[in-house]
Amino acid sequence: MATNNRITPEQLRSRYWFDNSEHPGTTALCIERYLNQGITLDELVGGKPIIGICQSGSDLTPCNRHHIELVKRVKDGIRAAGGVPFEFPLHPIHENVRRPTAALDRN
């Protein structure tokens, strides 16, 4: 028997940050911070899921450089599916500066 396990807008964790009448201070602080990141107020309080994208692309690490363009396409896909993308950085592992091996950080 199939069950519908869809999350309603009221159940989203982002609702606590951006549309919480019980904690207006938290809501105001989060909205103020995230409006500076290029996310609109309608996106924040519209009940859409906010999807985090951990991104390691950098000009300093040639092997991760393609992630800069890739994340743009991922964001477009999230928007097309009705979500709100939010990109945040991840420290890239660069082979040339990791001794004895970068595999230590990967594992």
Side-chain angles (χ1 to χ4, degrees):
M1 181 168 97
T3 60
N4 186 356
N5 292 329
R6 296 195 76 140
I7 294 175
T8 66
E10 292 77 26
Q11 294 172 310
L12 294 171
R13 281 183 284 174
S14 57
R15 185 92 166 192
Y16 175 79
W17 305 323
F18 304 118
D19 193 18
N20 189 341
S21 60
E22 294 179 18
H23 298 281
T26 299
T27 296
L29 182 63
C30 289
I31 286 176
E32 177 185 0
R33 288 182 179 171
Y34 289 103
L35 284 175
N36 292 331
Q37 305 301 320
I39 300 175
T40 69
L41 183 60
D42 288 339
E43 288 175 319
L44 291 175
V45 299
K48 296 179 178 182
I50 296 176
I51 310 297
I53 306 166
C54 190
Q55 206 283 76
S56 64
S58 168
D59 287 333
L60 299 174
T61 54
C63 57
N64 293 353
R65 180 80 173 91
H66 69 285
H67 293 172
I68 295 170
E69 289 301 317
L70 179 62
V71 103
K72 291 176 186 176
R73 297 194 330 243
V74 170
K75 284 175 152 181
D76 290 343
I78 290 170
R79 284 189 186 100
V84 179
F86 187 80
E87 178 183 344
F88 58 95
L90 167 74
H91 175 64
I93 299 170
H94 184 44
E95 301 289 332
N96 295 342
V97 297
R98 305 305 298 168
R99 297 289 182 243
T101 174
L104 295 173
D105 288 333
R106 288 193 188 118
N107 298 329

